[in-house]
Structures are given as C-alpha cells and as structure tokens.
Amino acid sequence: MPILPILTFPDPVLSRPCRQVREVTDELRRLAADMTETMYQAPGIGLAAPQVGHDLRLVVVDLSPREEGREPVALVNPRIVEAEGSLIFEEGCLSVPEFTCDVSRFSRVKVEATDLEGRPMTVEGEGVLAVCLQHELDHLEGRLFLDRISPLKRALYKKRRLKQAKQDKQDKP
Ligand code: NI
C-alpha cells in the first residue's frame, strides 16, 4: 500500500474545514488504508485526511502503532458528543515538524462516527486517546494544535518555519 506524502504547516489545505463524507465507497476505504499505513510509517498515533491532501471528514487512529496487535480505527464524519474534565498534554503533529507544546484538552470524550462499512459507531476515550481524538477532529475543522497555544509560542514557531523554508529553497540546486 502506498505511503502518502504528509502536508506540513503552512500548507493551506491544513487550515480549511473538511467536507462531510456522503457515502462510504471503496475509494474511501482505500484512502483510509493508505492513511493507516502512512501513520504507521511516520510513526504517529493519528492521521486526518487533510494531512494527506483530502478535505474529507476522515481520521485514523491507533495508540499502539509500533506494537504487535495493531488496532487501527477509522472514523468517518466523527463528532464529539460528550466531553468532560481537563488535562494538559504535550502534543506534536506530523504536519508540524520538530515542535511540541503543552495543550489543554478535555480528559474524556465520546465520539460518534460511521465506520468503513457505513455503520454508526462510538468511541470513548480518556487520557491519551481523548487527546488524540480531539487533535485529529480539530484537523477536520482546519485547526492545528498551534491554534491552541499561546500567541507568543505560535509566533516563534511560525518564524522558525519560515526561516527553515527559506533556507530549504536556498539549499536547492
Ligand atoms: Ni496532527
């Protein structure tokens, strides 16, 4: 299965709200499978469709991507229906290279979605799973964890990225 290129900040696809999936098709299942492979390869514990250039409400998550007995879960049109508590977790993102930062999130969430057979499903998560679900669902709204940190920290990261992009351009023959 092909590994898909992961878009990075400030790619505009990452900051646009995604479209609702109208129908679960073979094409969507293939995209979910490719996204799962891409997530394992990275490695990461979650990946959202916009990160690979598709503005669709589809995410994949697996909290044990490096272990035997992987259990990937694909969520189509996911939405948070319950949320409570709060926790602070140091987040990173495959689309935000070389940066992590503490982010405040709900400590427990319940998410309703559709599975890859088109059936309704529910996922409840606490701790890391709750963080992962909120982070991935944010992607579907065009929101990165950078949008949830202090403006000063965000500005510093943006400055660093722009400098890096300039440098990369200069280094190209
Ligand atoms: Ni992310």
Side-chain angles (χ1 to χ4, degrees):
M1 261 177 274
I3 302 298
L4 307 169
I6 296 176
L7 305 179
T8 55
F9 174 85
D11 194 295
V13 175
L14 295 170
S15 52
R16 283 205 295 258
C18 294
R19 289 178 293 136
Q20 196 82 4
V21 174
R22 296 263 165 245
E23 196 188 348
V24 179
T25 59
D26 283 343
E27 199 183 344
L28 190 84
R29 278 187 278 269
R30 211 168 309 129
L31 175 60
D34 291 347
M35 281 170 57
T36 304
E37 265 326 289
T38 304
M39 169 179 76
Y40 287 147
Q41 163 93 13
I45 59 172
L47 193 68
Q51 293 182 273
V52 291
H54 294 264
D55 64 336
L56 285 172
R57 304 187 82 84
L58 167 68
V59 307
V60 295
V61 299
D62 191 343
L63 292 193
S64 40
R66 274 184 269 205
E67 293 165 20
E68 290 298 311
R70 289 169 164 176
E71 277 184 61
V73 178
L75 303 169
V76 179
N77 298 331
R79 62 198 183 281
I80 293 173
V81 292
E82 278 175 30
E84 62 180 26
S86 71
L87 64 76
I88 291 179
F89 191 85
E90 188 180 348
E91 293 185 29
C93 177
L94 297 173
S95 294
V96 184
E98 290 159 47
F99 184 68
T100 61
C101 193
D102 282 350
V103 181
S104 173
R105 299 277 191 184
F106 294 114
S107 57
R108 191 191 76 86
V109 294
K110 183 172 167 183
V111 171
E112 284 182 0
T114 298
D115 70 12
L116 290 176
E117 305 302 326
R119 295 173 303 214
M121 64 179 292
T122 304
V123 183
E124 281 190 66
E126 275 186 305
V128 184
L129 179 56
V131 170
C132 180
L133 289 167
Q134 290 167 85
H135 177 116
E136 299 313 326
L137 267 62
D138 262 1
H139 276 296
L140 304 184
E141 307 303 332
R143 213 178 289 135
L144 297 173
F145 79 96
L146 292 177
D147 300 313
R148 295 192 179 274
I149 64 178
S150 80
L152 177 64
K153 284 180 183 162
R154 184 164 58 238
L156 285 172
Y157 178 73
K158 283 185 179 174
K159 210 167 140 188
R160 210 170 83 195
R161 277 292 287 175
L162 289 176
K163 216 163 143 191
Q164 186 67 48
K166 226 185 214 169
Q167 192 64 47
D168 290 349
K169 229 179 197 170
Q170 280 172 2
D171 289 348
K172 265 186 199 151

